Amino acid sequence: MATTVTSTSNYSGKDAGAIMGKAFKEAVTLESGFVTLNENVNYKLNLRKIELTGGRREYTCGFVPAGSIVLSEKVLEPKKFKDDFEVCLEDFRNQWNDGDLGDSAFNDGDMKVVMDAILAEKLAQEAEAIDTMIWQGDATNADEFDGYLKLFADDADIITVDGIAITKDNVEAQLMRALSEVPTALQKKPIKVGVASNIAIAYSFLLISKAITNGVASNANTGSETTEIKFGKFTLVELPGLPDNHMVIAEPKNVVFGTGLKADFNHVHVVNTNETLLDGKVRGSLVYNAGVEYYNGEEIVWYRPE
């Protein structure tokens, strides 16, 4: 069964123009550096932990071993996914350039503009799905892997903070409340504060009300848009995959995303089967594997609404 295509366009001019997809979002969690990316994970990745207690003592002659070393590990097993699609060239005749289409009824013209738009949207759609799955995934659904929030919910070592709905008026206090739960040893590490989009918006509104940009607005000197938001010494990272009113505070090397090859998320195999089977169709397939895990639950703070 071919992928369903619904077209309401009656355009028949010489330029198909720009074709706009419904959404375009990269997997922000990966691009932001909030998590550590491990590639070449086709079967499983062992996250090995080592915990040491010191054996320091006042000096005396002799060798007196003390302290302890505890070795343990978690296993990240990525799940493999596939997204196939098939489209009929006839459905896109009214989208082609007249010059590319020509006079032939065989639909063997160049539909590059349309196909490029379909592929870009397919990749963007998958990136958005991955970003959500990293946090909210549930492996009981066949097309998902377990995300961090499900893993956190089953781990008593995670430092949980009972949260509330975030607004401009309470966002500062709630950020401070979440950060106050960060263990002292973790405060000395390069931690990041991942926040849901509604929290990032509330904080930006708070700064605007105080006439402070703090990296939220565009950089007028370079014309580029900054992505780093500062809260005191801490870096806030907006993570669209997080549900509203959630925050996660962690050191990036403690939270891991595993996949076979990151490039798989940027490549769709496409075959014009009309050239060989004369079926008037184009087929495409996106294949990748992915999964998440973390090392130390006691070094992760999770702020979530009750």
Side-chain angles (χ1 to χ4, degrees), residues 126-167:
E126 211 65 29
E128 184 176 1
I130 282 291
D131 204 49
T132 300
M133 213 186 313
I134 285 172
W135 297 103
Q136 303 182 51
D138 185 343
T140 59
N141 300 320
D143 58 347
E144 297 181 9
F145 55 79
D146 279 340
Y148 286 119
L149 299 190
K150 185 176 180 185
L151 298 178
F152 292 169
D154 295 331
D155 188 349
D157 289 337
I158 297 291
I159 303 168
T160 58
V161 181
D162 293 331
I164 60 175
I166 301 294
T167 67

Short mmCIF file of all heavy atoms in Angstrom, two decimals, residues 126-167:
data_model
loop_
_atom_site.label_atom_id
_atom_site.label_comp_id
_atom_site.label_asym_id
_atom_site.label_seq_id
_atom_site.Cartn_x
_atom_site.Cartn_y
_atom_site.Cartn_z
N GLU A 126 11.45 12.84 11.50
CA GLU A 126 12.10 11.78 12.29
C GLU A 126 12.97 12.38 13.38
O GLU A 126 13.05 11.84 14.49
CB GLU A 126 12.93 10.89 11.36
CG GLU A 126 13.03 9.46 11.81
CD GLU A 126 11.70 8.73 11.77
OE1 GLU A 126 10.84 9.08 10.95
OE2 GLU A 126 11.53 7.80 12.58
N ALA A 127 13.65 13.49 13.09
CA ALA A 127 14.47 14.15 14.09
C ALA A 127 13.62 14.63 15.26
O ALA A 127 14.00 14.51 16.43
CB ALA A 127 15.23 15.33 13.47
N GLU A 128 12.46 15.19 14.95
CA GLU A 128 11.55 15.65 16.00
C GLU A 128 11.06 14.47 16.83
O GLU A 128 10.97 14.55 18.06
CB GLU A 128 10.37 16.39 15.38
CG GLU A 128 9.43 16.98 16.41
CD GLU A 128 8.32 17.80 15.76
OE1 GLU A 128 8.27 17.87 14.52
OE2 GLU A 128 7.49 18.35 16.51
N ALA A 129 10.75 13.35 16.17
CA ALA A 129 10.29 12.17 16.89
C ALA A 129 11.38 11.63 17.81
O ALA A 129 11.11 11.23 18.96
CB ALA A 129 9.84 11.09 15.90
N ILE A 130 12.63 11.62 17.32
CA ILE A 130 13.75 11.15 18.13
C ILE A 130 13.93 12.04 19.35
O ILE A 130 14.15 11.57 20.47
CB ILE A 130 15.05 11.11 17.29
CG1 ILE A 130 15.05 9.88 16.40
CG2 ILE A 130 16.28 11.10 18.18
CD1 ILE A 130 15.20 8.57 17.16
N ASP A 131 13.84 13.35 19.15
CA ASP A 131 14.03 14.28 20.26
C ASP A 131 13.00 14.04 21.35
O ASP A 131 13.31 14.11 22.54
CB ASP A 131 13.94 15.72 19.74
CG ASP A 131 14.68 16.69 20.63
OD1 ASP A 131 15.84 16.41 20.98
OD2 ASP A 131 14.09 17.71 21.01
N THR A 132 11.77 13.77 20.96
CA THR A 132 10.72 13.47 21.94
C THR A 132 10.96 12.11 22.59
O THR A 132 10.81 11.94 23.80
CB THR A 132 9.34 13.49 21.26
OG1 THR A 132 9.11 14.79 20.72
CG2 THR A 132 8.23 13.16 22.25
N MET A 133 11.36 11.12 21.77
CA MET A 133 11.56 9.77 22.29
C MET A 133 12.71 9.70 23.29
O MET A 133 12.66 8.91 24.24
CB MET A 133 11.82 8.82 21.12
CG MET A 133 11.28 7.41 21.36
SD MET A 133 11.74 6.23 20.05
CE MET A 133 11.36 7.18 18.57
N ILE A 134 13.75 10.50 23.07
CA ILE A 134 14.88 10.52 24.01
C ILE A 134 14.39 10.75 25.43
O ILE A 134 14.91 10.17 26.39
CB ILE A 134 15.90 11.59 23.59
CG1 ILE A 134 16.69 11.11 22.37
CG2 ILE A 134 16.86 11.92 24.73
CD1 ILE A 134 17.58 12.17 21.77
N TRP A 135 13.37 11.58 25.57
CA TRP A 135 12.87 11.91 26.90
C TRP A 135 11.59 11.15 27.27
O TRP A 135 11.45 10.68 28.39
CB TRP A 135 12.63 13.42 27.00
CG TRP A 135 13.90 14.18 26.85
CD1 TRP A 135 14.35 14.86 25.76
CD2 TRP A 135 14.94 14.27 27.82
NE1 TRP A 135 15.59 15.37 25.98
CE2 TRP A 135 15.98 15.04 27.24
CE3 TRP A 135 15.10 13.79 29.12
CZ2 TRP A 135 17.17 15.32 27.92
CZ3 TRP A 135 16.28 14.07 29.80
CH2 TRP A 135 17.30 14.83 29.20
N GLN A 136 10.67 11.02 26.35
CA GLN A 136 9.35 10.49 26.69
C GLN A 136 9.07 9.10 26.13
O GLN A 136 7.97 8.59 26.28
CB GLN A 136 8.27 11.45 26.18
CG GLN A 136 8.40 12.87 26.70
CD GLN A 136 7.29 13.76 26.21
OE1 GLN A 136 6.11 13.44 26.33
NE2 GLN A 136 7.64 14.91 25.65
N GLY A 137 10.06 8.46 25.51
CA GLY A 137 9.83 7.17 24.87
C GLY A 137 9.40 6.08 25.84
O GLY A 137 9.75 6.09 27.02
N ASP A 138 8.65 5.13 25.31
CA ASP A 138 8.15 3.99 26.10
C ASP A 138 8.25 2.75 25.22
O ASP A 138 7.53 2.62 24.23
CB ASP A 138 6.71 4.24 26.52
CG ASP A 138 6.17 3.15 27.44
OD1 ASP A 138 6.78 2.06 27.50
OD2 ASP A 138 5.14 3.38 28.09
N ALA A 139 9.14 1.83 25.58
CA ALA A 139 9.41 0.67 24.75
C ALA A 139 8.24 -0.30 24.67
O ALA A 139 8.26 -1.23 23.85
CB ALA A 139 10.65 -0.07 25.25
N THR A 140 7.21 -0.11 25.51
CA THR A 140 6.02 -0.96 25.36
C THR A 140 5.30 -0.64 24.05
O THR A 140 4.49 -1.44 23.58
CB THR A 140 5.06 -0.78 26.55
OG1 THR A 140 4.66 0.60 26.64
CG2 THR A 140 5.73 -1.19 27.85
N ASN A 141 5.60 0.53 23.48
CA ASN A 141 5.13 0.85 22.13
C ASN A 141 6.17 0.33 21.13
O ASN A 141 7.37 0.57 21.29
CB ASN A 141 4.96 2.36 21.96
CG ASN A 141 3.95 2.94 22.93
OD1 ASN A 141 2.91 2.33 23.19
ND2 ASN A 141 4.25 4.11 23.48
N ALA A 142 5.71 -0.38 20.12
CA ALA A 142 6.64 -1.05 19.20
C ALA A 142 7.55 -0.08 18.47
O ALA A 142 8.66 -0.45 18.08
CB ALA A 142 5.85 -1.87 18.18
N ASP A 143 7.12 1.16 18.28
CA ASP A 143 7.92 2.11 17.51
C ASP A 143 8.67 3.10 18.40
O ASP A 143 9.02 4.19 17.97
CB ASP A 143 7.03 2.88 16.53
CG ASP A 143 5.90 3.63 17.22
OD1 ASP A 143 5.66 3.37 18.42
OD2 ASP A 143 5.27 4.49 16.58
N GLU A 144 8.99 2.71 19.64
CA GLU A 144 9.71 3.59 20.56
C GLU A 144 10.71 2.79 21.38
O GLU A 144 10.58 1.58 21.55
CB GLU A 144 8.74 4.30 21.52
CG GLU A 144 7.73 5.22 20.85
CD GLU A 144 6.82 5.91 21.86
OE1 GLU A 144 7.08 5.80 23.07
OE2 GLU A 144 5.85 6.55 21.42
N PHE A 145 11.72 3.50 21.92
CA PHE A 145 12.59 2.94 22.94
C PHE A 145 12.29 3.67 24.26
O PHE A 145 11.65 4.72 24.26
CB PHE A 145 14.07 3.06 22.57
CG PHE A 145 14.54 4.46 22.25
CD1 PHE A 145 14.84 5.37 23.25
CD2 PHE A 145 14.71 4.87 20.92
CE1 PHE A 145 15.28 6.65 22.96
CE2 PHE A 145 15.15 6.15 20.62
CZ PHE A 145 15.43 7.05 21.65
N ASP A 146 12.73 3.12 25.37
CA ASP A 146 12.52 3.77 26.66
C ASP A 146 13.33 5.05 26.73
O ASP A 146 14.55 5.03 26.54
CB ASP A 146 12.92 2.85 27.81
CG ASP A 146 11.84 1.82 28.15
OD1 ASP A 146 10.68 2.05 27.77
OD2 ASP A 146 12.17 0.81 28.79
N GLY A 147 12.66 6.17 27.02
CA GLY A 147 13.34 7.44 27.18
C GLY A 147 13.81 7.65 28.60
O GLY A 147 13.52 6.86 29.51
N TYR A 148 14.53 8.74 28.80
CA TYR A 148 15.10 9.01 30.12
C TYR A 148 14.05 9.09 31.22
O TYR A 148 14.25 8.58 32.33
CB TYR A 148 15.90 10.32 30.10
CG TYR A 148 17.22 10.23 29.38
CD1 TYR A 148 17.48 11.01 28.26
CD2 TYR A 148 18.21 9.36 29.81
CE1 TYR A 148 18.69 10.94 27.60
CE2 TYR A 148 19.43 9.29 29.16
CZ TYR A 148 19.66 10.07 28.05
OH TYR A 148 20.86 9.99 27.40
N LEU A 149 12.91 9.73 30.94
CA LEU A 149 11.94 9.94 32.01
C LEU A 149 11.37 8.61 32.51
O LEU A 149 11.11 8.46 33.71
CB LEU A 149 10.81 10.86 31.53
CG LEU A 149 11.23 12.27 31.10
CD1 LEU A 149 10.01 13.15 30.90
CD2 LEU A 149 12.19 12.91 32.11
N LYS A 150 11.19 7.66 31.62
CA LYS A 150 10.74 6.34 32.07
C LYS A 150 11.82 5.65 32.90
O LYS A 150 11.53 5.01 33.92
CB LYS A 150 10.35 5.47 30.88
CG LYS A 150 9.75 4.14 31.33
CD LYS A 150 9.26 3.28 30.20
CE LYS A 150 8.68 1.98 30.75
NZ LYS A 150 8.28 1.04 29.68
N LEU A 151 13.07 5.78 32.46
CA LEU A 151 14.17 5.19 33.22
C LEU A 151 14.30 5.86 34.59
O LEU A 151 14.52 5.19 35.61
CB LEU A 151 15.48 5.33 32.45
CG LEU A 151 15.55 4.63 31.08
CD1 LEU A 151 16.90 4.91 30.41
CD2 LEU A 151 15.32 3.14 31.20
N PHE A 152 14.16 7.18 34.62
CA PHE A 152 14.25 7.90 35.89
C PHE A 152 13.16 7.45 36.87
O PHE A 152 13.40 7.32 38.07
CB PHE A 152 14.09 9.41 35.66
CG PHE A 152 15.22 10.07 34.91
CD1 PHE A 152 15.08 11.38 34.43
CD2 PHE A 152 16.41 9.41 34.66
CE1 PHE A 152 16.11 12.00 33.75
CE2 PHE A 152 17.44 10.02 33.96
CZ PHE A 152 17.28 11.32 33.51
N ALA A 153 11.95 7.25 36.35
CA ALA A 153 10.82 6.91 37.21
C ALA A 153 11.02 5.59 37.92
O ALA A 153 10.44 5.36 39.00
CB ALA A 153 9.53 6.88 36.38
N ASP A 154 11.86 4.71 37.36
CA ASP A 154 12.10 3.39 37.96
C ASP A 154 13.37 3.34 38.78
O ASP A 154 13.79 2.26 39.21
CB ASP A 154 12.17 2.33 36.85
CG ASP A 154 10.84 2.16 36.12
OD1 ASP A 154 9.79 2.39 36.74
OD2 ASP A 154 10.87 1.80 34.92
N ASP A 155 14.00 4.48 39.02
CA ASP A 155 15.29 4.52 39.70
C ASP A 155 15.20 5.38 40.95
O ASP A 155 15.07 6.60 40.87
CB ASP A 155 16.36 5.08 38.74
CG ASP A 155 17.76 4.97 39.32
OD1 ASP A 155 17.91 4.67 40.52
OD2 ASP A 155 18.72 5.20 38.55
N ALA A 156 15.30 4.74 42.11
CA ALA A 156 15.19 5.46 43.38
C ALA A 156 16.40 6.36 43.64
O ALA A 156 16.34 7.24 44.51
CB ALA A 156 15.05 4.46 44.53
N ASP A 157 17.49 6.17 42.89
CA ASP A 157 18.68 7.00 43.09
C ASP A 157 18.54 8.39 42.47
O ASP A 157 19.27 9.32 42.84
CB ASP A 157 19.91 6.32 42.50
CG ASP A 157 20.35 5.11 43.30
OD1 ASP A 157 20.01 5.04 44.51
OD2 ASP A 157 21.03 4.23 42.74
N ILE A 158 17.63 8.54 41.51
CA ILE A 158 17.43 9.85 40.89
C ILE A 158 16.94 10.85 41.94
O ILE A 158 16.05 10.55 42.75
CB ILE A 158 16.40 9.75 39.74
CG1 ILE A 158 16.93 8.85 38.63
CG2 ILE A 158 16.07 11.13 39.19
CD1 ILE A 158 18.08 9.39 37.85
N ILE A 159 17.52 12.04 41.93
CA ILE A 159 17.09 13.10 42.85
C ILE A 159 15.87 13.79 42.25
O ILE A 159 15.99 14.52 41.27
CB ILE A 159 18.22 14.11 43.09
CG1 ILE A 159 19.47 13.40 43.61
CG2 ILE A 159 17.77 15.21 44.06
CD1 ILE A 159 20.72 14.26 43.58
N THR A 160 14.70 13.53 42.80
CA THR A 160 13.46 14.07 42.25
C THR A 160 13.00 15.29 43.05
O THR A 160 13.14 15.34 44.27
CB THR A 160 12.35 13.02 42.22
OG1 THR A 160 12.13 12.53 43.54
CG2 THR A 160 12.72 11.87 41.31
N VAL A 161 12.47 16.25 42.33
CA VAL A 161 11.93 17.46 42.95
C VAL A 161 10.48 17.60 42.48
O VAL A 161 10.22 17.63 41.28
CB VAL A 161 12.74 18.71 42.52
CG1 VAL A 161 12.15 19.96 43.20
CG2 VAL A 161 14.21 18.54 42.87
N ASP A 162 9.56 17.65 43.42
CA ASP A 162 8.15 17.81 43.08
C ASP A 162 7.91 19.25 42.61
O ASP A 162 8.06 20.20 43.38
CB ASP A 162 7.26 17.49 44.28
CG ASP A 162 7.34 16.02 44.66
OD1 ASP A 162 7.58 15.20 43.76
OD2 ASP A 162 7.17 15.70 45.86
N GLY A 163 7.54 19.38 41.35
CA GLY A 163 7.42 20.70 40.76
C GLY A 163 6.00 21.21 40.65
O GLY A 163 5.04 20.55 41.05
N ILE A 164 5.88 22.38 40.07
CA ILE A 164 4.59 23.04 39.84
C ILE A 164 4.58 23.58 38.42
O ILE A 164 5.58 23.52 37.71
CB ILE A 164 4.36 24.18 40.84
CG1 ILE A 164 5.47 25.24 40.71
CG2 ILE A 164 4.29 23.66 42.27
CD1 ILE A 164 5.25 26.47 41.59
N ALA A 165 3.45 24.11 37.99
CA ALA A 165 3.36 24.75 36.68
C ALA A 165 4.20 26.03 36.69
O ALA A 165 4.07 26.87 37.59
CB ALA A 165 1.91 25.08 36.36
N ILE A 166 5.08 26.18 35.70
CA ILE A 166 6.02 27.29 35.66
C ILE A 166 5.43 28.49 34.93
O ILE A 166 4.85 28.35 33.85
CB ILE A 166 7.33 26.87 34.98
CG1 ILE A 166 7.97 25.69 35.71
CG2 ILE A 166 8.30 28.04 34.89
CD1 ILE A 166 8.44 26.01 37.11
N THR A 167 5.59 29.67 35.53
CA THR A 167 5.18 30.92 34.91
C THR A 167 6.32 31.93 35.02
O THR A 167 7.33 31.67 35.69
CB THR A 167 3.94 31.50 35.62
OG1 THR A 167 4.31 31.91 36.96
CG2 THR A 167 2.80 30.49 35.69
#
